[in-house]
């Protein structure tokens, strides 16, 4: 009989289960071999360290000796960290969807010893409730089916496999480029579903969905329709003032469980904050609103102070729970606020929605969603509030704190690196650029024994090989670092990322990238990374970056790859507008990409030029500064997807040319 082997792993999530009486195994050949030897099904449980419901199920079922004994007798039990092994999570989440079950974590799947899925679900309670069977009932039913109804298992595995493979079916792409009007029509359709009072898509729960917000932002730049930009700005203002934002410590929670951004699911993820930091840069560049600058500064400071590791890379997440209680670190009673703020309590409480009865389960989530608190209150008033918040944060820091997952994920870090590089320019903060370059260096230098990029690193060791999202996000990060530094080695790194993607991940038949490397251990299925989830798909990110890389290098192979992907994916975009936002962003870049170069010496660089470029707030624009000590005055050169324009110096000419090239062209 096996034992619990999770203490041997580096993953903080797996370590959380090392003391369970369940004989958990990591996903490896030893565990799979045991299932084959014993001829018992695999009970696969997938989650992550910051997951509230993963903790609940662990406390209710995996810590129960009776449940554990049944699991150990009848199954080989494998625990997977979905962030460490997104390839495994992708395959079995897709299998669950094929059964008509909505996704979520913990993901509970039952597999044959050959790793073929035949049934599954998500969280199961210890006793029947909410229309769900108990976990024990599920286990008994699966055991009964496995032992006495092998035909049912065979039928299910075949049906799931057929469904997954049909989703990977390909069809020849059109010979011509898709009509850009389809891109505009997609944005118009999405706008109908936006909540134009609170932002985000209508209904609850509310997720920020950063790729979708970027898609709408680009639609505004491409069409000139301000309704698209307004939808994004409304969303960002509500995010910045809602309870989903940590008003004391900085940073955004994963999502809001309500339709007003008030009640967060309290986990803080590096991936979300990197994407939102980038969007806040665009919003601040466009509007100059002090709210956006404040949240940029606060979130960047939180990332540097609380999430940066000694290696220079960044940790993955902060837990939703503290001592098994969701949000315990973050919420307040009215009395606690009064004890620490004294005479200032009345004003603070009015602005931050603090009441004796509370706004969530008898406690208070600090927020500024009320009408009288929503607007920026001016420099003096905001400075006073900042002092009060700092006082409360000092108190909060004495409380028990949520656990931090110190695992380093390459794609999540690279997303943040791109945002920090842009933020360093927007905020004139060299420390942010230093943090970005240090993190990029760590990711680039810590390779697998075969010299390949890693996906996950923890406790001094690489724990998972790279997937396509790692290379795609490193490609994008390298371009942003080149824009911020003009250092050529970042362009070389970008080219190298494309080479690896082409060699190890690209599928000619579908015009998309697989998530897993072909050389990695084969799973039940190999699926493409072409639909956005919490992170944008590798196919969309890589295609977008290739469009920009073409302008930076002049190498047409990059543009050819981007346009080939877009031709292949045009039908998929029409079928699923929301999940293909990153592909639509790539299409927009293929239409509108611009390379803007400023020539001049440091003493002769015109701030007016920089302001004109910043005001574009365009993710399809790559800016670059090139020193020229001989220049009598700073000058600007713009290259788009059709031509390079003559260098110009006059402010009005610069503004006119930027406006003229903003909307792109039809290829």
């Amino acid at each position: 009989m096996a034992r619990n082997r999770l203490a041997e792993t580096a993953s903080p999530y797996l370590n959380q289960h090392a003391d369970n009486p369940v004989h958990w195994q990591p996903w490896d050949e030893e565990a799979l071999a045991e299932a084959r030897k014993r001829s018992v099904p695999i009970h696969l449980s997938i989650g992550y360290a910051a997951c509230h419901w993963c903790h609940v199920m662990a406390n209710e079922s995996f810590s129960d000796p009776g449940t554990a004994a049944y699991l150990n007798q009848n199954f080989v039990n494998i625990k997977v960290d979905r962030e460490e092994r997104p390839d495994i999570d992708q395959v079995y989440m897709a299998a669950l969807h094929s059964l008509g079950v909505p996704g979520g974590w913990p993901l509970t799947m039952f597999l044959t010893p050959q790793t073929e899925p035949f049934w599954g679900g998500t969280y199961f309670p210890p006793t029947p409730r909410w229309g769900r069977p108990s976990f024990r009932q599920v286990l008994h039913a699966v055991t009964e089916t496995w032992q006495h109804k092998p035909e049912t298992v065979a039928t299910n595995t075949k049906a799931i496999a057929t469904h997954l493979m049909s989703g990977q079916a390909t069809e020849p792409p059109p010979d011509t480029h898709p009509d850009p009007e389809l891109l505009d029509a997609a944005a118009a359709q999405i706008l109908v579903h936006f909540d134009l009072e609170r932002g985000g898509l209508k209904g609850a729960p509310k997720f920020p969905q950063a790729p979708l917000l970027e898609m709408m932002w680009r639609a505004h730049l491409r069409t000139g329709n301000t309704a698209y930009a307004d939808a994004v700005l409304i969303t960002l203002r509500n995010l910045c003032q809602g309870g989903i934002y940590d008003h004391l410590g900085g940073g955004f929670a994963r999502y809001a469980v309500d339709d007003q951004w008030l009640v967060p699911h309290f986990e803080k993820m590096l991936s979300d904050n990197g994407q939102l930091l980038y969007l806040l840069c665009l919003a601040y560049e466009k509007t100059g609103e002090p709210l956006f600058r404040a949240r940029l500064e606060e979130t960047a400071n939180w990332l540097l102070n609380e999430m940066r590791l000694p290696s220079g890379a960044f940790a993955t997440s902060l837990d939703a729970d503290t001592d098994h209680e969701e949000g315990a670190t973050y919420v307040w009673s009215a009395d606690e606020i009064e004890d620490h703020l004294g005479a200032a309590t009345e004003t603070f409480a009015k602005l931050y929605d603090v009441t004796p009865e509370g706004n969530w389960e008898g406690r208070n989530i600090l927020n500024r969603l009320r009408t009288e608190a929503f607007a920026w209150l001016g420099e003096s008033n905001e400075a006073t509030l900042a002092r009060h918040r700092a006082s409360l944060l000092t108190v909060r820091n004495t409380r028990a704190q949520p656990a931090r997952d110190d695992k380093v994920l390459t794609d999540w870090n690279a997303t943040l690196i791109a945002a920090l590089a842009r933020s360093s320019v927007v905020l004139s903060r060299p420390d942010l650029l230093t943090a970005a370059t240090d993190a990029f260096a760590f990711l680039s230098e810590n390779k697998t024994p075969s010299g390949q990029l890693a996906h996950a690193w923890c406790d001094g060791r690489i724990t998972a090989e790279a997937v396509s999202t790692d290379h795609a996000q490193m490609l994008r990060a390298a371009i942003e670092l080149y824009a911020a530094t003009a250092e050529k080695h970042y362009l070389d790194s970008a080219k190298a990322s494309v080479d690896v993607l082409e060699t190890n991940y690209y599928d000619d038949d579908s015009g998309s990238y697989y998530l897993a490397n072909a050389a990695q251990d084969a799973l039940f299925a190999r699926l493409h990374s072409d639909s956005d989830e919490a992170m944008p798909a590798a196919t969309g990110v890589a295609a977008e970056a290739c469009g920009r890389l073409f302008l930076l290098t002049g190498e047409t192979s990059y543009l050819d790859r981007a346009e080939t992907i877009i031709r292949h994916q045009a039908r998929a975009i029409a079928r699923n507008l929301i999940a293909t936002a990153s592909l639509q962003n790539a299409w927009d870049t293929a239409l509108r990409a611009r390379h803007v170069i400023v020539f001049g010496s440091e003493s002769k660089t015109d701030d007016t030029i920089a302001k004109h470029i910043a005001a574009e707030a365009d993710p399809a624009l790559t800016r670059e500064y090139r020193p020229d000590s001989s220049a009598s005055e700073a000058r600007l050169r713009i290259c788009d997807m059709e031509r390079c324009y003559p260098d110009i110096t006059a402010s009005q000419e610069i503004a006119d040319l930027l406006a003229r090239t903003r909307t792109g062209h039809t290829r």
Side-chain angles (χ1 to χ4, degrees):
M1 185 68 69
R3 57 184 175 82
N4 189 319
R5 294 198 288 125
L6 297 189
E8 303 166 7
T9 67
S11 162
Y13 173 64
L14 299 187
N15 288 166
Q16 288 174 356
H17 295 268
D19 293 330
N20 292 165
V22 177
H23 292 164
W24 289 118
Q25 309 294 298
W27 182 284
D28 62 11
E29 180 53 34
E30 181 178 336
L32 301 179
E34 183 191 348
R36 294 192 297 268
K37 179 181 178 181
R38 292 173 53 195
S39 193
V40 296
I42 294 168
H43 160 231
L44 174 65
S45 178
I46 303 178
Y48 57 100
C51 170
H52 170 71
W53 287 104
C54 299
H55 302 329
V56 172
M57 193 165 179
N59 293 329
E60 292 175 341
S61 295
F62 301 146
S63 298
D64 176 66
T67 303
Y70 190 88
L71 283 166
N72 296 337
Q73 179 178 350
N74 294 285
F75 300 89
V76 167
N77 301 285
I78 297 180
K79 177 66 76 172
V80 167
D81 181 338
R82 68 171 294 260
E83 296 163 349
E84 185 175 71
R85 292 299 305 269
D87 52 338
I88 297 175
D89 180 65
Q90 180 200 38
V91 167
Y92 293 106
M93 186 62 74
L96 181 66
H97 290 162
S98 74
L99 295 170
V101 180
W105 296 275
L107 173 59
T108 303
M109 293 298 294
F110 298 95
L111 324 178
T112 70
Q114 290 71 41
T115 73
E116 302 161 311
F118 62 89
W119 199 78
T122 52
Y123 163 81
F124 291 104
T127 58
R129 60 175 180 258
W130 310 318
R132 291 173 179 259
S134 72
F135 188 48
R136 287 279 200 106
Q137 287 174 325
V138 168
L139 296 179
H140 283 288
V142 170
T143 302
E144 173 70 15
T145 301
W146 178 258
Q147 294 178 349
H148 301 292
K149 300 177 182 178
E151 69 283 356
T152 299
V153 173
T155 298
N156 284 9
T157 57
K158 182 177 180 181
I160 292 171
T162 300
H163 187 277
L164 292 187
M165 292 305 100
S166 67
Q168 301 295 292
T170 60
E171 50 189 326
D175 293 331
T176 59
H177 294 281
D179 188 342
E181 289 186 3
L182 298 176
L183 195 58
D184 297 340
Q189 290 182 51
I190 292 292
L191 185 62
V192 172
H193 298 284
F194 255 79
D195 178 348
L196 297 181
E197 179 183 359
R198 299 289 187 180
L201 296 179
K202 295 173 183 175
K206 277 189 181 292
F207 289 82
Q209 294 181 290
L212 195 67
L213 293 176
E214 183 179 326
M215 187 204 85
M216 300 298 283
W217 188 262
R218 288 168 174 267
H220 158 66
L221 295 171
R222 189 175 61 251
T223 67
N225 186 341
T226 58
Y228 298 131
D230 289 343
V232 177
L233 294 172
I234 290 167
T235 302
L236 291 177
R237 292 183 190 115
N238 277 275
L239 282 168
C240 287
Q241 298 292 50
I244 192 173
Y245 183 73
D246 180 358
H247 289 266
L248 301 187
F252 296 87
R254 178 76 187 91
Y255 64 92
V257 302
D258 61 298
D259 65 354
Q260 301 180 39
W261 305 108
L262 171 62
V263 181
H265 189 43
F266 289 90
E267 61 193 6
K268 287 184 183 178
M269 317 297 284
L270 187 71
S271 54
D272 299 309
N273 282 278
Q275 292 178 84
L276 288 171
L277 200 70
Y278 192 85
L279 286 171
L280 287 172
C281 284
L282 299 177
Y284 179 63
E285 286 177 308
K286 175 63 72 175
T287 67
E289 290 183 24
L291 172 64
F292 295 140
R293 184 180 182 100
R295 299 297 180 261
L296 263 174
E297 296 270 13
E298 293 160 2
T299 300
N301 291 340
W302 166 71
L303 287 160
L304 267 59
N305 294 334
E306 293 194 36
M307 300 300 284
R308 186 163 50 170
L309 301 169
S311 65
F314 290 80
T316 293
S317 64
L318 294 181
D319 209 322
D321 296 3
T322 304
D323 294 337
H324 307 297
E325 183 180 344
E326 186 177 14
T329 298
Y330 300 101
V331 296
W332 296 81
S333 70
D335 289 343
E336 287 173 325
I337 298 291
E338 186 170 11
D339 287 345
H340 298 296
L341 294 187
T345 298
E346 183 177 356
T347 299
F348 186 90
K350 181 179 180 181
L351 292 173
Y352 284 91
D353 192 21
V354 177
T355 62
E357 62 273 14
N359 56 27
W360 178 67
E361 298 184 357
R363 306 279 282 175
N364 291 282
I365 298 168
L366 301 183
N367 73 91
R368 287 179 58 172
L369 290 171
R370 289 179 172 180
T371 302
E372 63 270 25
F374 195 80
W376 190 255
L377 300 177
E379 185 174 345
S380 176
N381 289 331
E382 294 291 345
T384 299
L385 290 175
R387 289 192 293 273
H388 296 329
R389 294 197 308 272
S391 176
L392 292 176
L393 179 61
T394 299
V395 174
R396 196 181 84 179
N397 286 340
T398 66
R399 299 174 176 174
Q401 299 295 306
R404 186 176 73 175
D405 184 336
D406 285 346
K407 181 170 68 264
V408 173
L409 300 175
T410 294
D411 48 3
W412 289 24
N413 268 263
T415 300
L416 177 61
I417 289 166
L420 288 174
R422 191 172 189 114
S423 298
S424 71
V425 176
V426 172
L427 300 175
S428 299
R429 282 187 54 175
D431 63 318
L432 301 184
L433 183 58
T434 298
T437 57
D438 288 349
F440 191 89
F442 175 83
L443 299 176
S444 300
E445 294 164 5
N446 281 271
K447 301 290 184 67
T448 66
S450 61
Q452 300 301 308
L453 194 69
H455 170 67
W457 181 94
C458 192
D459 194 27
R461 50 180 157 152
I462 291 169
T463 59
E465 297 181 15
V467 291
S468 60
T469 52
D470 298 311
H471 296 286
Q473 291 291 353
M474 286 291 278
L475 163 60
R476 177 172 173 266
I479 291 174
E480 291 290 345
L481 285 171
Y482 178 72
T485 66
E487 294 180 11
K488 184 178 178 297
H489 69 90
Y490 288 118
L491 271 188
D492 295 336
S493 179
K495 293 178 180 180
S497 293
V498 176
D499 290 344
V500 174
L501 283 165
E502 292 298 296
T503 302
N504 296 332
Y505 300 92
Y506 188 68
D507 176 17
D508 283 301
D509 292 334
S510 68
S512 61
Y513 296 100
Y514 288 108
L515 180 63
N517 187 332
Q520 290 171 325
D521 292 338
L523 297 174
F524 165 69
R526 188 179 182 214
L527 305 182
H528 299 115
S529 177
D530 52 13
S531 293
D532 299 332
E533 297 175 353
M535 285 279 286
T539 302
V541 173
E544 196 280 332
C546 280
R548 296 169 68 194
L549 193 57
F550 158 67
L551 279 182
L552 293 175
T553 64
E555 296 181 27
T556 58
S557 61
Y558 300 127
L559 180 59
D560 290 343
R561 170 56 67 232
E563 292 189 333
T564 298
I565 289 172
I566 291 162
R567 285 201 309 275
H568 270 281
Q569 299 297 323
R571 296 186 185 100
I573 289 171
R575 288 192 294 265
N576 192 338
L577 301 181
I578 292 175
T580 58
S582 66
L583 286 165
Q584 295 176 63
N585 294 336
W587 189 355
D588 174 80
T589 289
L591 297 171
R592 297 192 313 102
R594 289 178 290 175
H595 183 199
V596 177
I597 310 167
V598 179
F599 297 90
S601 67
E602 290 189 11
S603 61
K604 296 171 185 173
T605 299
D606 189 345
D607 286 343
T608 303
I609 293 179
K611 289 177 181 177
H612 280 307
I613 297 170
E616 289 296 291
D618 186 356
L621 182 152
T622 304
R623 49 191 140 186
E624 179 184 349
Y625 170 71
R626 290 187 185 174
D628 184 357
S629 57
S630 65
S632 59
E633 59 181 328
R635 68 187 193 277
L636 181 77
R637 178 180 302 164
I638 298 178
C639 297
D640 63 15
M641 295 304 238
E642 292 184 318
R643 66 182 69 85
C644 287
Y645 296 84
D647 295 358
I648 51 179
T649 58
S651 177
Q652 190 56 53
E653 288 182 8
I654 290 170
D656 290 344
L657 184 55
L658 284 168
R660 217 164 54 240
T661 57
R662 185 182 307 138
T663 57
H665 69 288
T666 302
R667 290 185 62 83

